[in-house]
Amino acid sequence: MSDVPAVKAALKSQAVETPSWAYGNSGTRFKVFAQPGVPRSPQEKLDDAAQVHAFTGVAPTVALHIPWDTVEDYAALARYAKERGLTLGAVNANVFQDDDYKLGSVTHPDPAVRRKALDHLLECVDIMDATGSRDLKLWFSDGTNYPGQDDIAARQDRLAEALGAVYDRLGEDQRMLLEYKFFEPAFYTTDVPDWGTAYAHCLRLGPRAQVCVDTGHHAPGTNIEFIVALLLREGKLGAFDFNSRFYADDDLMVGAADPFQLFRIMYEVVRGGGLTSGVAFMLDQCHNIEPKIPAIIRSVMNVQEATAKALLVDRDALAAAQRSGDVLDANAVLMDAYNTDVRPLLAEVREELGIDPDPIAAYRASGWAERIVAERVGGQQAGWGA
């Protein structure tokens, strides 16, 4: 049986980073749905993030996205976060929402466009210096739509050159997280389409370049937990972008589509030491129709539940079944943990942290939702720029 006090301690130490953009208006390629009370500034996003942390106890960091979160004084923004019990997390670059990037950013055929994109990435490192952020997260929409459109290998050379320049600019305590996505918006070739491509570039760069696994960025049927296990084994798993998918990059609440998959992923994280190895557990979600703050709280809770179940796996019994080749018993050990109702355990953890055992109910009772609707009138609501 698992050591319940140790499980509780692990759950209390877990941290889930929430994304600033998830607090703003978002939608699909067809429509962005505005909601009352949505933040109008990075500071108001932090105000909302502080509520998520207050009601979950495990969401102390907030990721920024530049230029969506541009401010004049990033050190002052970091102080604003600290006053609310938060710190600023990963800085996400944006080289996909500019007309110049129609044919790519750092892989564009035009060196002037490549220089513009690289300058933005270096600017993001400057921002990290000001905020004290550890991680620079890079996702590239770069790719081609038609055979012959550009030289596939040459684009990899351009990508490697840009990544090398950014890596050399990083401070000793800073990391580069390279994300991948197998398609969209490029449909013939994507320049960083899979974990292998990201891993190859990170391996060439050095130890401070690691792979970010977005759980929605895989083809149907992909065994994500295998990828997680391999990257952990190689010391190259830097972060997760947690979300959920039914068809493509749906960006739904994590665990919504396949909670069993999330459990399997978290088991490999636990088994591979990922809870204590510096892996960043970040959310990357697009709350199109659901209220922002409770949706983020729910996602944090879903990560906690999957983690709790993974921690409850009887690893001695599992190893014994595996050694003896008992396929059914080995599977049963995992299923026993997955089928455990961990909500009472997590309620105890929250009470021991001094917070309400039911974060959703506590948030609804707090009056914050009504307050921000009443106060955030006028101005321009934050959104993802679509």
Side-chain angles (χ1 to χ4, degrees), residues 154-203:
R155 292 178 75 90
Q156 289 298 312
D157 292 339
R158 300 167 198 158
L159 173 63
E161 182 181 2
L163 293 177
V166 177
Y167 188 85
D168 289 343
R169 168 63 184 82
L170 292 175
E172 288 300 317
D173 296 324
Q174 294 173 336
R175 305 188 305 174
M176 173 192 295
L177 303 175
L178 183 57
E179 189 177 352
Y180 57 90
K181 185 177 182 180
F182 78 110
F183 87 106
E184 193 186 40
F187 295 103
Y188 173 59
T189 63
T190 298
D191 292 328
V192 190
D194 51 38
W195 72 269
T197 307
Y199 173 74
H201 281 284
C202 289
L203 195 63

Side-chain angles (χ1 to χ4, degrees), residues 84-141:
R84 281 144 189 82
L86 304 170
T87 57
L88 298 181
V91 173
N92 291 253
N94 184 323
V95 284
F96 52 86
Q97 283 188 318
D98 189 298
D99 285 346
D100 285 344
Y101 301 144
K102 180 170 65 175
L103 300 180
S105 61
V106 296
T107 66
H108 197 287
D110 185 344
V113 175
R114 297 201 299 272
R115 182 70 243 183
K116 174 179 176 177
L118 177 58
D119 286 345
H120 172 68
L121 303 186
L122 296 174
E123 175 197 10
C124 287
V125 182
D126 293 339
I127 292 169
M128 293 167 63
D129 291 341
T131 60
S133 298
R134 177 186 65 167
D135 296 330
L136 172 69
K137 188 144 68 69
L138 303 179
W139 173 73
F140 299 99
S141 65

Side-chain angles (χ1 to χ4, degrees), residues 41-373:
S41 67
Q43 290 81 1
E44 289 184 347
K45 293 179 186 179
L46 292 173
D47 292 339
D48 287 354
Q51 298 299 307
V52 173
H53 182 44
F55 292 111
T56 64
V58 295
T61 61
V62 182
L64 301 180
H65 209 297
I66 308 300
W68 301 343
D69 294 316
T70 298
V71 294
E72 291 185 2
D73 188 336
Y74 289 97
L77 186 66
R79 290 192 296 272
Y80 188 92
K82 185 176 181 180
E83 290 167 358
R84 281 144 189 82
L86 304 170
T87 57
L88 298 181
V91 173
N92 291 253
N94 184 323
V95 284
F96 52 86
Q97 283 188 318
D98 189 298
D99 285 346
D100 285 344
Y101 301 144
K102 180 170 65 175
L103 300 180
S105 61
V106 296
T107 66
H108 197 287
D110 185 344
V113 175
R114 297 201 299 272
R115 182 70 243 183
K116 174 179 176 177
L118 177 58
D119 286 345
H120 172 68
L121 303 186
L122 296 174
E123 175 197 10
C124 287
V125 182
D126 293 339
I127 292 169
M128 293 167 63
D129 291 341
T131 60
S133 298
R134 177 186 65 167
D135 296 330
L136 172 69
K137 188 144 68 69
L138 303 179
W139 173 73
F140 299 99
S141 65
D142 297 36
T144 64
N145 279 357
Y146 296 99
Q149 178 181 325
D150 200 359
D151 187 306
I152 294 174
R155 292 178 75 90
Q156 289 298 312
D157 292 339
R158 300 167 198 158
L159 173 63
E161 182 181 2
L163 293 177
V166 177
Y167 188 85
D168 289 343
R169 168 63 184 82
L170 292 175
E172 288 300 317
D173 296 324
Q174 294 173 336
R175 305 188 305 174
M176 173 192 295
L177 303 175
L178 183 57
E179 189 177 352
Y180 57 90
K181 185 177 182 180
F182 78 110
F183 87 106
E184 193 186 40
F187 295 103
Y188 173 59
T189 63
T190 298
D191 292 328
V192 190
D194 51 38
W195 72 269
T197 307
Y199 173 74
H201 281 284
C202 289
L203 195 63
R204 180 184 292 262
L205 288 165
R208 288 176 290 118
Q210 296 186 304
V211 179
C212 175
V213 174
D214 185 305
T215 52
H217 286 190
H218 303 87
T222 299
N223 188 319
I224 300 174
E225 55 267 34
F226 171 82
I227 299 169
V228 170
L230 191 144
L231 290 174
L232 272 171
R233 181 175 181 271
E234 298 299 320
K236 281 295 184 183
L237 180 63
F240 284 98
D241 271 357
F242 278 132
N243 52 60
S244 201
R245 63 180 293 278
F246 287 102
Y247 295 104
D249 185 21
D250 302 347
D251 270 344
L252 301 174
M253 292 185 299
V254 59
D258 190 349
F260 184 47
Q261 180 191 66
L262 182 60
F263 160 75
R264 300 192 311 264
I265 290 169
M266 290 309 303
Y267 172 70
E268 294 302 332
V269 170
V270 170
R271 186 211 169 279
L275 283 183
T276 57
S277 67
V279 175
F281 299 97
M282 302 183 286
L283 304 181
D284 181 15
Q285 301 175 7
C286 177
H287 305 294
N288 300 343
I289 57 176
E290 61 270 40
K292 314 296 181 182
I293 299 173
I296 297 170
I297 292 174
R298 177 61 65 189
S299 283
V300 173
M301 294 171 65
N302 288 349
V303 173
Q304 288 182 294
E305 289 184 18
T307 305
K309 292 181 179 187
L311 288 164
L312 289 174
V313 171
D314 188 334
R315 292 171 63 180
D316 290 339
L318 180 60
Q322 291 169 340
R323 284 192 301 269
S324 67
D326 194 327
V327 177
L328 292 179
D329 271 6
N331 178 251
V333 171
L334 281 181
M335 295 309 299
D336 284 345
Y338 176 68
N339 289 321
T340 301
D341 184 357
V342 296
R343 291 174 296 179
L345 173 65
L346 283 164
E348 291 179 17
V349 167
R350 294 181 186 117
E351 288 177 331
E352 291 171 12
L353 288 173
I355 61 176
D356 194 287
D358 187 339
I360 293 290
Y363 171 73
R364 288 173 176 163
S366 72
W368 183 260
E370 294 78 12
R371 174 181 167 181
I372 59 178
V373 168

